[in-house]
Amino acid sequence: MPLLPTCPPLLIEEGLFDEICRSLSQSGYAVLPAALPVLISDALMCCLATMEADGFRNAAIGRGVQSQVNTGVRRDEIAWIEAQSHTARLWLEWAERLRLHLNRHLYLGLFSFESHFARYQPGQFYQTHLDAFRGRSNRVVTLLTYLNHDWLKQHGGELLIYPDNRSESPVALGVSVASVLPALGTLVVFLSDRFPHEVLPATRPRLSVAGWFRLNE
Ligand code: OGA
Ligand code: MN
């Protein structure tokens, strides 16, 4: 049988998903630069371009009746990604394969996925928060990726991830476990109710995609 000239895409994807599982089970979070397949980040950028015309709404904290716009805590604009286009579906299908992988290997029982684009204008931020509160939310795993070409340290806009709030070991107050530049292709995954995190202001517009794997409601 002839040798395959390159690794087939699904094997590469399997390797990435394995890496995410390993980090999640070891430390509860994963930060992987240049990890999202180019096909998927391209699809997200096309999807965003087609949605741009509709405009972004001011980001609300919480959804439904609890939803409120609180610009003291966060200042960004969001647009939910539904399966409205081929490009949106490429992203959602990729997340679906990751969901199945997480369930198969970590037995998380994840049931669904929701995600939105978020655009931060220069100077905008999102203060330290948790994406889920124990017993009060069904968001289990947070997934973040970024759509910013050529992001440099001097642009700011870091995502700071603070220590696991259930960790036994004493932690220095205000010291983050990870500082992530929002560079194109970087993937961040963490347990939603364990890791406080914040977004620092940047000097240029900052585009992210935030998603959550949820339990059944
Ligand atoms: C969020 C969030 C982080 C980021 O939307 O809940 O924490 O880096 N986003 O954009
Ligand atoms: Mn968050």
Side-chain angles (χ1 to χ4, degrees):
M1 208 170 93
L3 284 175
L4 290 167
T6 53
C7 214
L10 282 177
L11 266 187
I12 297 175
E13 184 169 284
E14 192 88 354
L16 170 61
F17 291 174
D18 281 344
E19 181 69 38
I20 292 172
C21 283
R22 244 192 317 276
S23 296
L24 270 185
S25 58
Q26 270 165 19
S27 57
Y29 71 93
V31 177
L32 303 165
L36 187 71
V38 173
L39 176 76
I40 307 299
S41 50
D42 280 353
L44 281 168
M45 276 184 296
C46 288
C47 177
L48 177 67
T50 57
M51 284 164 72
E52 211 100 78
D54 304 343
F56 274 32
R57 285 175 295 121
N58 285 326
I61 296 171
R63 287 178 95 176
V65 270
Q66 279 155 11
S67 149
Q68 54 170 307
V69 175
N70 183 340
T71 51
V73 177
R74 81 183 285 183
R75 281 184 171 274
D76 61 335
E77 294 173 294
I78 63 160
W80 290 96
I81 306 172
E82 318 286 352
Q84 68 272 66
S85 60
H86 171 65
T87 52
R89 286 193 294 274
L90 279 176
W91 160 248
L92 295 174
E93 284 159 13
W94 182 85
E96 173 65 7
R97 293 195 295 277
L98 174 56
R99 182 184 74 83
L100 295 174
H101 198 98
L102 291 171
N103 282 349
R104 210 175 306 127
H105 294 268
L106 301 178
Y107 311 106
L108 291 176
L110 306 171
F111 180 77
S112 63
F113 179 72
E114 60 181 359
S115 65
H116 63 56
F117 293 106
R119 185 179 17 232
Y120 295 74
Q121 296 301 342
Q124 294 182 336
F125 56 86
Y126 193 168
Q127 283 177 3
T128 306
H129 65 281
L130 280 170
D131 285 347
F133 295 95
R134 244 191 293 176
R136 289 210 1 238
S137 168
N138 47 18
R139 285 178 173 178
V140 178
V141 174
T142 299
L143 169 67
L144 295 163
T145 192
Y146 302 99
L147 302 177
N148 310 294
H149 284 283
D150 308 317
W151 196 277
L152 303 174
K153 176 112 188 71
Q154 69 227 44
H155 296 133
E158 290 93 344
L159 167 76
L160 298 183
I161 303 175
Y162 294 103
D164 184 343
N165 58 14
R166 278 189 245 170
S167 145
E168 304 276 282
S169 50
V171 287
L173 221 61
V175 176
S176 56
V177 292
S179 170
V180 185
L181 289 180
L184 182 71
T186 294
L187 273 179
V188 178
V189 185
F190 56 84
L191 298 174
S192 305
D193 67 349
R194 302 260 293 251
F195 291 89
H197 54 282
E198 72 174 312
V199 176
L200 299 182
T203 58
R204 49 176 275 202
R206 176 189 190 277
L207 271 170
S208 64
V209 177
W212 297 273
F213 294 101
R214 309 174 65 113
L215 295 178
N216 199 354
E217 313 191 43

